[in-house]
Amino acid sequence: MRGTRSAKWVAGAIGVALAATACGGSDDSGNGNGNGGGGEGGGSASAVFSVDAGEPQNPLIPTDTNEQYGALVIDNVFANLVDFDDEGDLVYTAAESIEANEDATEWTVTLREGWTFHDGEAVTAESYVNAWNWAAQLSNNQKNSYWFADIEGYDEVHPEEGDATAEEMSGLEVVDELTFTVTLSSPVSYFNYKLGYNPFTPLPSSFYEDTEAFGQKPIGNGPYKFASWERDSKITLEAYEDYAGENKAQNDGVELVNYNNLNAAYNDLLSDSLDILRLVDPQNLPVFKDDLGDRAISQPYMANQTLVPVFYSETWEDTDPRVLQGLSMAIDRETIVSTVMNDSVTVATGFVAPGAMGFQENAGGEVMEFDPERAKDLIDEAGGVPGDEITIQYNADGGHEAWVTAVCNSIRQNTGVECTGDAKPDFQTDLNARDAQEVESMYRGGWIADYPLNVSFMKELYGTGSSANTGFFSNEEVDALFAEGDSAASLEETVAAYQEAEKVLFEHMPAIPLWHQGVNGGFSQNVENVRFSVTGQPILTEVTVK
């Protein structure tokens, strides 16, 4: 990802930025695909290791989790029907097969035999159908309920207005103990890819007896079973000995340790008090490879960083999109990436991250190029930023302060628009402010692909009513393009339709893409076989403890 150019403002701006405090690490999406590889399972006695993490925003229910700290638990306590390999290709996990009819409106899911929940209950077709029906119900108020909107009858259990007129979706039918069918209200060529995301996991019968208690101690079907949750301290998972999947844990368990300062986590890693660090603090990026040697990990993954305007605010409610185009062109991404970010990320030229099917090298065209003169002209022509001031909300425990400062300096010096950071103490507070519609102007958006298609970087974020659309962007033209892509006759045609939609997004500017994320982490001398998935999370099942 290339195309931006250096700027004269750097010397002063970067000096300020690098002096800023940088802590913690977070992205918004839930998907981590922590279930990869593996062999026959079972590590040596007391083969438990630790990973840096944070406090989940919500109770640990798959359909109410869409941020990475909760997802790190969900993705390992539960197993998906399908997962994705290192190339982003679909592989079967709990499913034996998933087959579609000719027009992709009816899908037949056949489960593998011998799977059980951690309480010993058998995983059956009914386990999935009941879970999906519960999650879709309007009264259960699940963040991820819209993931079931493709299924026939969803509009009856979850109407846009008024009360539900049904308790179950008509499109779900149990055929036998290990088979169920899913009838969609319209064709979705990539529905099998969507089944690799955690809202589509099954639930045991005990869930419905006390959903509140379940959220504090979930019972899944994955390679790890939940052991304990010490608030603001750590979550402990234990290897599930009777796990039927091929990716059995090669260790006895993992402690997900809550850090609100990644520099502290980094120092713990250096002293072997922490075993896996998922994200190196920006201040340690210049030295971590020398410090860790062959225990340092640096690789790209399917994620991006954006600035998201909130369209319920006075600033953006009726503002011409050309203003946002101008702000985008005022940001010297290339220089910020090479200095503040120490080349740990790659400059974005579109909304979709490399590696996802449908990625386009230069989807944003000139809007993603650094051009201060054109930036100022666009903003002036479009009527300017109301009040000539913007703020960027971010979580202070996420290592974002330095780059937010640098971005604001670039905007201020190239457009005259005042720009300041609005730090929230932690990621949970940041997310809660978004959900409560309390963001003043813009927020830092970080997104990890839920499945490796370009669709995942657009529909979930910018479709009207999508739960991850906390900027409240809504545009009929964009929604129509998404619908056209969804109803395409083949996966290839769907991807092509969304490629066209991506270009149109730059006319409306639901967000300003900045760069694509990279894994910059490492591991201690206590562990081996540490790898990260295509969505940037450590593959916990493969880790072995020395």
Side-chain angles (χ1 to χ4, degrees):
M1 306 301 293
R2 292 168 291 276
T4 53
R5 299 166 180 77
S6 60
K8 298 177 181 178
W9 64 273
V10 171
I14 296 302
V16 173
L18 289 175
T21 303
C23 322
S26 305
D27 277 298
D28 304 343
S29 167
N31 193 309
N33 291 321
N35 304 336
E40 295 304 314
S44 60
S46 300
V48 176
F49 64 102
S50 57
V51 179
D52 81 281
E55 192 73 2
Q57 183 189 21
N58 296 311
L60 295 167
I61 297 173
T63 49
D64 211 28
T65 298
N66 64 355
E67 46 77 30
Q68 69 158 319
Y69 293 144
L72 188 58
V73 179
I74 297 296
D75 287 342
N76 288 283
V77 169
F78 291 85
N80 296 318
L81 287 164
V82 299
D83 278 309
F84 307 99
D85 64 19
D86 290 345
E87 284 70 49
D89 294 328
L90 185 148
V91 294
Y92 292 117
T93 306
E96 179 70 34
S97 65
I98 301 174
E99 299 177 348
N101 65 352
E102 188 173 348
D103 68 353
T105 56
E106 184 173 306
W107 297 75
T108 300
V109 180
T110 303
L111 305 175
R112 296 188 187 274
E113 296 182 1
W115 283 63
T116 60
F117 290 104
H118 301 151
D119 60 1
E121 178 184 324
V123 178
T124 66
E126 196 172 59
S127 307
Y128 287 88
V129 169
N130 289 347
W132 297 6
N133 275 321
W134 183 90
Q137 288 176 13
L138 181 65
S139 59
N140 291 325
N141 195 31
Q142 295 296 284
K143 279 182 174 291
N144 293 329
S145 61
Y146 79 98
W147 280 82
F148 304 97
D150 299 320
I151 300 174
E152 193 174 82
Y154 176 82
D155 56 346
E156 296 177 356
V157 302
H158 200 119
E160 291 186 12
E161 297 181 359
D163 297 327
T165 58
E167 294 184 358
E168 298 180 349
M169 292 178 284
S170 57
L172 294 179
E173 182 178 348
V174 174
V175 176
D176 57 41
E177 188 175 11
L178 295 177
T179 310
F180 63 99
T181 59
V182 186
T183 301
L184 308 181
S185 54
S186 60
V188 179
S189 64
Y190 61 96
F191 187 72
N192 53 341
Y193 277 78
K194 297 179 75 170
L195 297 180
Y197 189 36
N198 55 40
F200 295 100
T201 51
L203 293 170
S205 56
S206 60
F207 168 79
Y208 308 98
E209 298 169 7
D210 192 338
T211 58
E212 186 175 340
F214 186 95
Q216 307 307 312
K217 191 172 184 179
I219 298 169
N221 64 325
Y224 291 95
K225 60 182 179 180
F226 189 90
S228 63
W229 184 353
E230 300 174 39
R231 292 301 188 280
D232 298 313
S233 178
K234 67 179 179 180
I235 290 175
T236 303
L237 310 179
E238 298 175 354
Y240 180 45
E241 293 183 1
D242 295 326
Y243 177 63
E246 295 179 1
N247 55 315
K248 223 172 163 66
Q250 302 300 299
N251 48 72
D252 288 341
V254 56
E255 292 182 345
L256 306 176
V257 183
N258 191 331
Y259 282 90
N260 59 15
N261 184 309
L262 271 190
N263 188 48
Y266 183 74
N267 288 327
D268 280 356
L269 181 72
L270 293 180
S271 66
D272 292 329
S273 299
L274 175 70
D275 293 316
I276 297 177
L277 179 65
R278 298 178 305 129
L279 181 65
V280 171
D281 190 306
Q283 66 183 299
N284 296 314
L285 285 172
V287 299
F288 86 103
K289 291 181 181 179
D290 289 336
D291 287 348
L292 297 175
D294 60 8
R295 292 183 289 112
I297 295 177
S298 182
Q299 68 180 62
Y301 67 100
M302 282 184 278
N304 63 12
Q305 195 87 261
T306 61
L307 300 180
V308 184
V310 290
F311 291 93
Y312 54 76
S313 68
E314 292 183 3
T315 305
W316 305 116
E317 187 174 16
D318 297 310
T319 300
D320 191 314
R322 289 179 296 169
V323 172
L324 289 162
Q325 292 174 340
L327 291 176
S328 175
M329 298 177 76
I331 300 170
D332 186 0
R333 296 167 179 81
E334 189 168 277
T335 301
I336 296 172
V337 163
S338 65
T339 53
V340 177
M341 309 300 287
N342 203 56
D343 289 319
S344 62
V345 296
T346 56
V347 173
T349 60
F351 287 96
V352 179
M357 188 184 301
F359 166 73
Q360 302 179 94
E361 184 67 35
N362 192 26
E366 69 172 9
V367 175
M368 295 297 294
E369 296 177 2
F370 178 58
D371 188 339
E373 185 174 337
R374 178 62 178 148
K376 198 170 189 317
D377 288 344
L378 267 175
I379 293 171
D380 291 342
E381 290 169 10
V385 175
D388 279 331
E389 182 178 3
I390 61 173
T391 60
I392 301 173
Q393 178 177 301
Y394 66 96
N395 50 306
D397 66 343
H400 307 299
E401 184 176 355
W403 71 254
V404 168
T405 300
V407 166
C408 274
N409 284 340
S410 188
I411 289 173
R412 184 186 308 109
Q413 295 188 26
N414 292 315
T415 68
V417 175
E418 183 60 36
C419 177
T420 55
D422 179 13
K424 302 302 178 186
D426 52 44
F427 191 37
Q428 189 175 52
T429 304
D430 178 27
L431 291 173
N432 289 340
R434 302 184 203 179
D435 290 345
Q437 299 184 40
E438 294 174 348
V439 179
E440 292 182 9
S441 178
M442 290 181 163
Y443 65 83
R444 173 205 71 85
W447 188 254
I448 304 172
D450 296 319
Y451 46 90
L453 301 181
N454 59 355
V455 182
S456 183
F457 286 94
M458 288 179 269
K459 185 175 182 180
E460 281 76 23
L461 289 164
Y462 310 124
T464 300
S466 296
S467 68
N469 183 1
T470 45
F472 286 83
F473 173 79
S474 181
N475 182 275
E476 291 183 0
E477 180 186 9
V478 169
D479 288 339
L481 288 168
F482 290 169
E484 180 182 334
D486 289 347
S487 61
S490 68
L491 179 62
E492 292 73 21
E493 290 176 88
T494 292
V495 169
Y498 269 89
Q499 287 179 318
E500 290 304 309
E502 182 181 11
K503 294 176 182 177
V504 173
L505 283 178
F506 281 98
E507 298 174 12
H508 302 285
M509 296 301 291
I512 299 175
L514 296 174
W515 42 76
H516 303 300
Q517 301 292 74
V519 171
N520 292 281
F523 55 96
S524 75
Q525 299 181 82
N526 303 324
V527 293
E528 296 175 314
N529 300 315
V530 178
R531 283 200 311 127
F532 282 71
S533 71
V534 293
T535 52
Q537 295 286 17
I539 303 174
L540 304 185
T541 52
E542 294 185 2
V543 177
T544 54
V545 181
K546 293 182 182 179

PDB file of all heavy atoms in Angstrom, residues 405-425:
ATOM      1  N   THR A 405      -2.127  12.322  17.719  1.00  0.00           N
ATOM      2  CA  THR A 405      -1.485  13.631  17.782  1.00  0.00           C
ATOM      3  C   THR A 405      -0.889  14.009  16.428  1.00  0.00           C
ATOM      4  O   THR A 405      -1.031  15.150  15.963  1.00  0.00           O
ATOM      5  CB  THR A 405      -0.389  13.633  18.863  1.00  0.00           C
ATOM      6  OG1 THR A 405      -0.968  13.329  20.127  1.00  0.00           O
ATOM      7  CG2 THR A 405       0.306  14.988  18.937  1.00  0.00           C
ATOM      8  N   ALA A 406      -0.236  13.040  15.792  1.00  0.00           N
ATOM      9  CA  ALA A 406       0.382  13.309  14.492  1.00  0.00           C
ATOM     10  C   ALA A 406      -0.663  13.597  13.418  1.00  0.00           C
ATOM     11  O   ALA A 406      -0.488  14.499  12.591  1.00  0.00           O
ATOM     12  CB  ALA A 406       1.261  12.130  14.078  1.00  0.00           C
ATOM     13  N   VAL A 407      -1.752  12.854  13.411  1.00  0.00           N
ATOM     14  CA  VAL A 407      -2.833  13.080  12.444  1.00  0.00           C
ATOM     15  C   VAL A 407      -3.427  14.471  12.656  1.00  0.00           C
ATOM     16  O   VAL A 407      -3.677  15.211  11.696  1.00  0.00           O
ATOM     17  CB  VAL A 407      -3.909  11.992  12.556  1.00  0.00           C
ATOM     18  CG1 VAL A 407      -5.186  12.398  11.817  1.00  0.00           C
ATOM     19  CG2 VAL A 407      -3.390  10.664  11.993  1.00  0.00           C
ATOM     20  N   CYS A 408      -3.680  14.820  13.909  1.00  0.00           N
ATOM     21  CA  CYS A 408      -4.237  16.144  14.196  1.00  0.00           C
ATOM     22  C   CYS A 408      -3.276  17.257  13.758  1.00  0.00           C
ATOM     23  O   CYS A 408      -3.701  18.281  13.202  1.00  0.00           O
ATOM     24  CB  CYS A 408      -4.552  16.275  15.687  1.00  0.00           C
ATOM     25  SG  CYS A 408      -6.184  15.637  16.139  1.00  0.00           S
ATOM     26  N   ASN A 409      -1.992  17.065  14.002  1.00  0.00           N
ATOM     27  CA  ASN A 409      -1.018  18.066  13.559  1.00  0.00           C
ATOM     28  C   ASN A 409      -1.052  18.237  12.044  1.00  0.00           C
ATOM     29  O   ASN A 409      -0.976  19.352  11.515  1.00  0.00           O
ATOM     30  CB  ASN A 409       0.388  17.665  14.000  1.00  0.00           C
ATOM     31  CG  ASN A 409       0.622  17.912  15.476  1.00  0.00           C
ATOM     32  OD1 ASN A 409      -0.092  18.699  16.096  1.00  0.00           O
ATOM     33  ND2 ASN A 409       1.601  17.233  16.043  1.00  0.00           N
ATOM     34  N   SER A 410      -1.179  17.139  11.339  1.00  0.00           N
ATOM     35  CA  SER A 410      -1.223  17.188   9.874  1.00  0.00           C
ATOM     36  C   SER A 410      -2.461  17.932   9.386  1.00  0.00           C
ATOM     37  O   SER A 410      -2.391  18.792   8.508  1.00  0.00           O
ATOM     38  CB  SER A 410      -1.198  15.761   9.312  1.00  0.00           C
ATOM     39  OG  SER A 410      -1.047  15.762   7.915  1.00  0.00           O
ATOM     40  N   ILE A 411      -3.603  17.618   9.981  1.00  0.00           N
ATOM     41  CA  ILE A 411      -4.848  18.294   9.601  1.00  0.00           C
ATOM     42  C   ILE A 411      -4.783  19.780   9.922  1.00  0.00           C
ATOM     43  O   ILE A 411      -5.132  20.635   9.096  1.00  0.00           O
ATOM     44  CB  ILE A 411      -6.041  17.634  10.314  1.00  0.00           C
ATOM     45  CG1 ILE A 411      -6.310  16.240   9.729  1.00  0.00           C
ATOM     46  CG2 ILE A 411      -7.292  18.503  10.215  1.00  0.00           C
ATOM     47  CD1 ILE A 411      -7.359  15.438  10.485  1.00  0.00           C
ATOM     48  N   ARG A 412      -4.317  20.098  11.112  1.00  0.00           N
ATOM     49  CA  ARG A 412      -4.271  21.498  11.556  1.00  0.00           C
ATOM     50  C   ARG A 412      -3.352  22.332  10.659  1.00  0.00           C
ATOM     51  O   ARG A 412      -3.714  23.424  10.213  1.00  0.00           O
ATOM     52  CB  ARG A 412      -3.794  21.568  13.003  1.00  0.00           C
ATOM     53  CG  ARG A 412      -3.809  22.970  13.597  1.00  0.00           C
ATOM     54  CD  ARG A 412      -3.199  23.002  14.991  1.00  0.00           C
ATOM     55  NE  ARG A 412      -3.793  22.018  15.878  1.00  0.00           N
ATOM     56  CZ  ARG A 412      -3.170  20.929  16.302  1.00  0.00           C
ATOM     57  NH1 ARG A 412      -1.920  20.670  15.911  1.00  0.00           N
ATOM     58  NH2 ARG A 412      -3.777  20.075  17.110  1.00  0.00           N
ATOM     59  N   GLN A 413      -2.163  21.806  10.375  1.00  0.00           N
ATOM     60  CA  GLN A 413      -1.181  22.584   9.635  1.00  0.00           C
ATOM     61  C   GLN A 413      -1.507  22.687   8.151  1.00  0.00           C
ATOM     62  O   GLN A 413      -1.094  23.629   7.482  1.00  0.00           O
ATOM     63  CB  GLN A 413       0.211  21.981   9.834  1.00  0.00           C
ATOM     64  CG  GLN A 413       0.679  22.084  11.279  1.00  0.00           C
ATOM     65  CD  GLN A 413       2.126  21.666  11.456  1.00  0.00           C
ATOM     66  OE1 GLN A 413       2.918  21.754  10.525  1.00  0.00           O
ATOM     67  NE2 GLN A 413       2.476  21.226  12.652  1.00  0.00           N
ATOM     68  N   ASN A 414      -2.274  21.724   7.633  1.00  0.00           N
ATOM     69  CA  ASN A 414      -2.565  21.727   6.203  1.00  0.00           C
ATOM     70  C   ASN A 414      -3.932  22.297   5.842  1.00  0.00           C
ATOM     71  O   ASN A 414      -4.190  22.570   4.659  1.00  0.00           O
ATOM     72  CB  ASN A 414      -2.446  20.306   5.641  1.00  0.00           C
ATOM     73  CG  ASN A 414      -1.021  19.803   5.654  1.00  0.00           C
ATOM     74  OD1 ASN A 414      -0.098  20.518   5.276  1.00  0.00           O
ATOM     75  ND2 ASN A 414      -0.821  18.578   6.119  1.00  0.00           N
ATOM     76  N   THR A 415      -4.800  22.487   6.846  1.00  0.00           N
ATOM     77  CA  THR A 415      -6.143  22.999   6.541  1.00  0.00           C
ATOM     78  C   THR A 415      -6.553  24.173   7.410  1.00  0.00           C
ATOM     79  O   THR A 415      -7.515  24.886   7.079  1.00  0.00           O
ATOM     80  CB  THR A 415      -7.204  21.896   6.721  1.00  0.00           C
ATOM     81  OG1 THR A 415      -7.323  21.565   8.118  1.00  0.00           O
ATOM     82  CG2 THR A 415      -6.862  20.656   5.918  1.00  0.00           C
ATOM     83  N   GLY A 416      -5.890  24.368   8.547  1.00  0.00           N
ATOM     84  CA  GLY A 416      -6.305  25.400   9.481  1.00  0.00           C
ATOM     85  C   GLY A 416      -7.419  24.971  10.404  1.00  0.00           C
ATOM     86  O   GLY A 416      -7.831  25.716  11.297  1.00  0.00           O
ATOM     87  N   VAL A 417      -7.927  23.741  10.224  1.00  0.00           N
ATOM     88  CA  VAL A 417      -8.976  23.203  11.098  1.00  0.00           C
ATOM     89  C   VAL A 417      -8.340  22.729  12.402  1.00  0.00           C
ATOM     90  O   VAL A 417      -7.367  21.974  12.395  1.00  0.00           O
ATOM     91  CB  VAL A 417      -9.715  22.029  10.422  1.00  0.00           C
ATOM     92  CG1 VAL A 417     -10.710  21.394  11.390  1.00  0.00           C
ATOM     93  CG2 VAL A 417     -10.426  22.499   9.157  1.00  0.00           C
ATOM     94  N   GLU A 418      -8.867  23.187  13.528  1.00  0.00           N
ATOM     95  CA  GLU A 418      -8.353  22.762  14.825  1.00  0.00           C
ATOM     96  C   GLU A 418      -8.718  21.301  15.055  1.00  0.00           C
ATOM     97  O   GLU A 418      -9.856  20.872  14.835  1.00  0.00           O
ATOM     98  CB  GLU A 418      -8.919  23.634  15.939  1.00  0.00           C
ATOM     99  CG  GLU A 418      -8.382  23.297  17.319  1.00  0.00           C
ATOM    100  CD  GLU A 418      -6.872  23.454  17.407  1.00  0.00           C
ATOM    101  OE1 GLU A 418      -6.319  24.374  16.769  1.00  0.00           O
ATOM    102  OE2 GLU A 418      -6.243  22.641  18.106  1.00  0.00           O
ATOM    103  N   CYS A 419      -7.752  20.519  15.503  1.00  0.00           N
ATOM    104  CA  CYS A 419      -7.973  19.080  15.731  1.00  0.00           C
ATOM    105  C   CYS A 419      -7.311  18.680  17.033  1.00  0.00           C
ATOM    106  O   CYS A 419      -6.136  18.974  17.260  1.00  0.00           O
ATOM    107  CB  CYS A 419      -7.391  18.274  14.570  1.00  0.00           C
ATOM    108  SG  CYS A 419      -7.525  16.474  14.758  1.00  0.00           S
ATOM    109  N   THR A 420      -8.058  18.005  17.907  1.00  0.00           N
ATOM    110  CA  THR A 420      -7.517  17.549  19.185  1.00  0.00           C
ATOM    111  C   THR A 420      -7.969  16.121  19.459  1.00  0.00           C
ATOM    112  O   THR A 420      -9.009  15.668  18.978  1.00  0.00           O
ATOM    113  CB  THR A 420      -7.987  18.444  20.353  1.00  0.00           C
ATOM    114  OG1 THR A 420      -9.430  18.490  20.354  1.00  0.00           O
ATOM    115  CG2 THR A 420      -7.430  19.840  20.227  1.00  0.00           C
ATOM    116  N   GLY A 421      -7.177  15.407  20.239  1.00  0.00           N
ATOM    117  CA  GLY A 421      -7.539  14.067  20.661  1.00  0.00           C
ATOM    118  C   GLY A 421      -8.466  14.107  21.858  1.00  0.00           C
ATOM    119  O   GLY A 421      -8.367  14.995  22.707  1.00  0.00           O
ATOM    120  N   ASP A 422      -9.394  13.152  21.920  1.00  0.00           N
ATOM    121  CA  ASP A 422     -10.324  13.022  23.044  1.00  0.00           C
ATOM    122  C   ASP A 422     -10.116  11.643  23.649  1.00  0.00           C
ATOM    123  O   ASP A 422     -10.721  10.660  23.229  1.00  0.00           O
ATOM    124  CB  ASP A 422     -11.769  13.193  22.551  1.00  0.00           C
ATOM    125  CG  ASP A 422     -12.792  13.048  23.671  1.00  0.00           C
ATOM    126  OD1 ASP A 422     -12.392  13.057  24.853  1.00  0.00           O
ATOM    127  OD2 ASP A 422     -13.989  12.904  23.352  1.00  0.00           O
ATOM    128  N   ALA A 423      -9.220  11.560  24.619  1.00  0.00           N
ATOM    129  CA  ALA A 423      -8.822  10.268  25.177  1.00  0.00           C
ATOM    130  C   ALA A 423      -9.828   9.752  26.200  1.00  0.00           C
ATOM    131  O   ALA A 423     -10.221  10.475  27.113  1.00  0.00           O
ATOM    132  CB  ALA A 423      -7.448  10.382  25.824  1.00  0.00           C
ATOM    133  N   LYS A 424     -10.232   8.495  26.052  1.00  0.00           N
ATOM    134  CA  LYS A 424     -11.009   7.786  27.055  1.00  0.00           C
ATOM    135  C   LYS A 424     -10.057   6.837  27.787  1.00  0.00           C
ATOM    136  O   LYS A 424      -9.110   6.322  27.193  1.00  0.00           O
ATOM    137  CB  LYS A 424     -12.156   7.008  26.413  1.00  0.00           C
ATOM    138  CG  LYS A 424     -13.119   7.885  25.601  1.00  0.00           C
ATOM    139  CD  LYS A 424     -13.727   8.994  26.443  1.00  0.00           C
ATOM    140  CE  LYS A 424     -14.639   9.892  25.608  1.00  0.00           C
ATOM    141  NZ  LYS A 424     -15.131  11.054  26.386  1.00  0.00           N
ATOM    142  N   PRO A 425     -10.281   6.586  29.063  1.00  0.00           N
ATOM    143  CA  PRO A 425      -9.279   5.851  29.841  1.00  0.00           C
ATOM    144  C   PRO A 425      -9.008   4.433  29.357  1.00  0.00           C
ATOM    145  O   PRO A 425      -7.885   3.945  29.484  1.00  0.00           O
ATOM    146  CB  PRO A 425      -9.857   5.850  31.263  1.00  0.00           C
ATOM    147  CG  PRO A 425     -11.321   6.122  31.083  1.00  0.00           C
ATOM    148  CD  PRO A 425     -11.418   7.012  29.897  1.00  0.00           C
TER     149      PRO A 425
END
